[in-house]
Amino acid sequence: MRYVWIASAIVGVTIVAVVCIKSLSGLLPNADFNMFWKLSELAYPPPYLLVIKPFTLLPYGAAFILWTTATAALYILSSRGHRLQALANPAAAFNGLIGQNGFLTGAIMFAGLRELAARPWLSGAVLGLLIIKPHLAAILPVAVLAARAWKAIPAALGTIAVLLGISFLAFGAQAYSQFFELGTKYGQFVRVGAWNWNELASFYALARWFGLDAAAAWGLHAVIAAAAAVLVWLAWREDWDGKIPLTSAAALLISPYLFTYDAVLLTLALGRLRDLKALATWIFLAIPLARVFVHADWPNTVPLAAAFAVCAMALEAHRDSTSLTPSARA
C-alpha cells in the first residue's frame, strides 16, 4: 500500500499546487473559497467569521494560498503517525482544489479526540472549536459520554461560549440572524435536492441518487447513523485501540449535509486499515475526485467509504478482543 499512498500523495499535492498557482491570476471559477473571501452566503455559525475574516484582507490569490497551506499544515500535523495517508487521501486533494475548510475541521477533530481519554479538559476545549461546523460534531457527545470524560463537557461549552460571545461583539446580532436564515435555506436545499445528489456525501443523498423517495432515504440514513453511534459508544466504553479513527470516520455517517471534502476525516482510518481494506476505502474516496475531472455522473461513494471503514475497524476490534486469552482479559 505504501506505493499507492506515495503515488496518490504526489497526485494530490500536484493538484493543489497547480490550483494555488492558478489562484494568483484571479478568482477560480466555482471555487468555494470565493464565497469565503467575499463573505457571501456563508451558512456557517458566526464564529467561522472570526477564522475567515482576516483572509479577506488579502488579495484573492494570496488569501487562497495562505488559507490552503495554513490549514493543510494543521491537518498534516494533527494526522500524527499517518501523515502520508493525510496527503494521499483523495478528499484532501478535493478540499485543496476548491479551498474548503476540511483541513481545519479535520485537524480539530483529530487533535481533540487524541486527548479525550488522557486530558479531557484539553480535548473539550479543542473539540469545542467545531462550533464553526457543528454538524460534524454530532457524534462527539456519544464518545464523551461513553468515555466518561466529564471534564470535556464544561471545557467544550466554555470554548463555544467564548467564541459565540466574541463573534457577537465583533459582528453583531445580524450575523446570527443571517446564519439562521441561511441555515434554514440550506436545509431546504438538502430536502429538495438543490444540488445534484452526487455532490452531497451522505447516505441520504446516496439513496436519493439511486432513486429512493425522501421517506425511504431518511429511514436508511437514520438506521446507519444509529448503528454508527452504537459502534462509537462501544469503542469508547470498551476502549478499543481504533476508537479515534473509528469515531472520526463515523462522524461522516451522522449528518445528511456533507460534501466530499469532509471526508478528510477518514485519514486516520486509512492509516489504521491494512492492505485490501485500506485500498477499498481509498477507492471509494477516489471515485468522487475522479468524477470532477471526467465529468461522469457517478454516485458519491464517500458514505460507502465511511461505512466500510467503520465496519472494518469494528470487526478488527471485536476480533482482537475475542482473541485475548482469559488471563489477558483479566
Side-chain angles (χ1 to χ4, degrees), residues 53-142:
K53 180 69 173 178
F55 294 89
T56 67
L57 304 177
L58 299 173
Y60 178 82
F64 183 95
I65 293 171
L66 181 59
W67 166 259
T68 302
T69 55
T71 56
L74 292 174
Y75 161 66
I76 293 168
L77 288 172
S78 68
S79 302
R80 195 170 59 217
H82 304 297
R83 288 171 183 165
L84 181 57
Q85 288 85 355
L87 295 173
N89 186 342
F94 195 101
N95 182 84
L97 183 66
I98 59 177
Q100 256 292 345
N101 50 38
F103 290 150
L104 180 59
T105 54
I108 294 170
M109 180 76 80
F110 298 161
L113 285 175
R114 272 205 182 90
E115 302 296 336
L116 184 57
R119 294 188 283 183
W121 273 104
L122 178 59
S123 173
V126 173
L127 292 174
L129 297 173
L130 281 176
I131 187 61
I132 64 173
K133 207 164 183 180
H135 59 284
L136 290 182
I139 195 65
L140 295 180
V142 176

Side-chain angles (χ1 to χ4, degrees), residues 109 136 138-139 224-225 227-232 243-255 258 265-266 269 306-307 309-310 313:
M109 180 76 80
L136 290 182
I139 195 65
I224 292 171
V230 169
L231 290 175
V232 169
K243 58 184 178 293
I244 293 172
L246 188 149
T247 303
S248 56
L252 297 169
L253 299 174
I254 306 302
S255 173
L258 289 169
L265 292 177
L266 278 166
V310 167
M313 288 185 288

Side-chain angles (χ1 to χ4, degrees), residues 19-29 31 34 37 59-62 64:
V19 173
C20 285
I21 294 170
K22 190 174 180 180
S23 71
L24 294 172
S25 64
L27 299 182
L28 294 169
N34 291 349
W37 189 65
Y60 178 82
F64 183 95

